[in-house]
């Protein structure tokens, strides 16, 4: 049954000329990073989204580090799984042109994807909210371990903020590039996203052929040509092999 759905997905994708991927937190759960909205294991089952807003960070930056420190530690140590690697291989074969990701974990790059647009930023480092001085995340996490919370700028003493978009912040320039890619594409493969976070969930609207691979249903399932439900680390290697062999024949 799932195999049949995957073949239908490849039928759609292999007829497109310019396919892009849009990934969400679900692609990284099998690398040990919790997503936001999965029942029980999702972050929102245990944390308050308010602590991830820019308004809260401006008045009480400690909260982001107190609540997020464990997650930041997990993310910086995580390794790509079979689903990230499958996308990397598909890009290397020319079948996927760009990966647009809502993730901040840089696992696509570690999984060999090269053309990655990080529309919510990356946890690769942190910047001073006053003078923009940057530090690598390892230094920030070391401060946190030494109970220096929030970590402060060595130049001006203001709090350091991870290079990610908090709720309430403007989107980075990568989002405009993602919009351009979505307008250019005729196929989109969504992997591991609940598709409830705006404006990322507007991107599929620009693309004619939509395939969604996700464990749970999404609000855009009715707009998709094919929806495959299941675990990404099972589905993506199979989908990748099927698509590559279809291209070769
Ligand atoms: P989400 O948490 O809203 O949804 C994740 C979806 O993935 C869920 O629908 C779930 O059913 C599905 N899923 C989980 N594990 C799966 C698996 N192994 N196989 C198939 N499907 C699976 O995530 P979202 O849509 O990306 O939006 C939430 C926000 O979370 C994004 O803005 C992102 O920046 C942020 N976030 C990122 C990370 C990360 O970088 N890894 C982690 C947590 C949250």
């Amino acid at each position: 049954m799932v195999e049949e759905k995957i073949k239908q997905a490849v039928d759609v994708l292999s007829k497109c000329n310019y396919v892009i991927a849009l990934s969400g937190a679900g692609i990284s759960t099998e690398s040990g990073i919790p997503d936001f909205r999965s029942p029980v294991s999702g972050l929102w089952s245990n944390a308050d989204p308010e602590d991830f807003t820019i308004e809260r960070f401006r008045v009480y930056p400690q909260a982001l580090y107190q609540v997020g420190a464990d997650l930041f530690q997990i993310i910086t140590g995580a390794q790509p799984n079979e689903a990230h690697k499958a996308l990397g291989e598909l890009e290397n074969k020319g079948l996927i042109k760009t990966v647009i990701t809502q993730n901040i974990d840089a696992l696509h790059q570690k999984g060999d994807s090269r053309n990655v647009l990080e529309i919510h930023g990356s946890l690769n480092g942190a910047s001073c909210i006053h003078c923009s001085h940057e530090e690598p995340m390892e230094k920030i996490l070391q401060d946190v371990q030494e109970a220096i919370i929030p970590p402060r700028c060595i130049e001006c003493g203001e709090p350091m903020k991870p290079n990610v978009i908090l709720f309430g912040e403007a989107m980075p320039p990568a989002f405009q590039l993602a919009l351009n890619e979505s307008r250019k594409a005729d196929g989109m493969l969504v992997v591991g996203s609940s598709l409830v976070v705006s404006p990322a969930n507007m991107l599929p609207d620009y693309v004619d052929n939509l395939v969604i691979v996700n464990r749970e249903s999404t609000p855009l399932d009715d707009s998709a040509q094919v929806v495959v439900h299941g675990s990404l680390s099972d589905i993506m290697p199979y989908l990748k092999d099927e698509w590559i062999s279809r291209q070769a024949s």
Side-chain angles (χ1 to χ4, degrees), residues 25 29-30 36-37 102 104-105 120 193-194 214 216 232:
T29 56
E30 290 169 277
F36 277 170
R37 292 179 184 79
Q102 301 169 78
I104 57 172
D105 54 29
H120 292 166
S193 176
S194 61
N214 202 52
E216 291 162 86
L232 279 160

Side-chain angles (χ1 to χ4, degrees), residues 7-8 85 104 153 156 159 164 173 186-187 199 217 227 240:
K7 283 181 181 157
Q8 288 171 17
K85 291 177 195 168
I104 57 172
C153 177
C156 71
V164 300
D186 60 352
S217 303
V227 178
K240 179 255 301 172

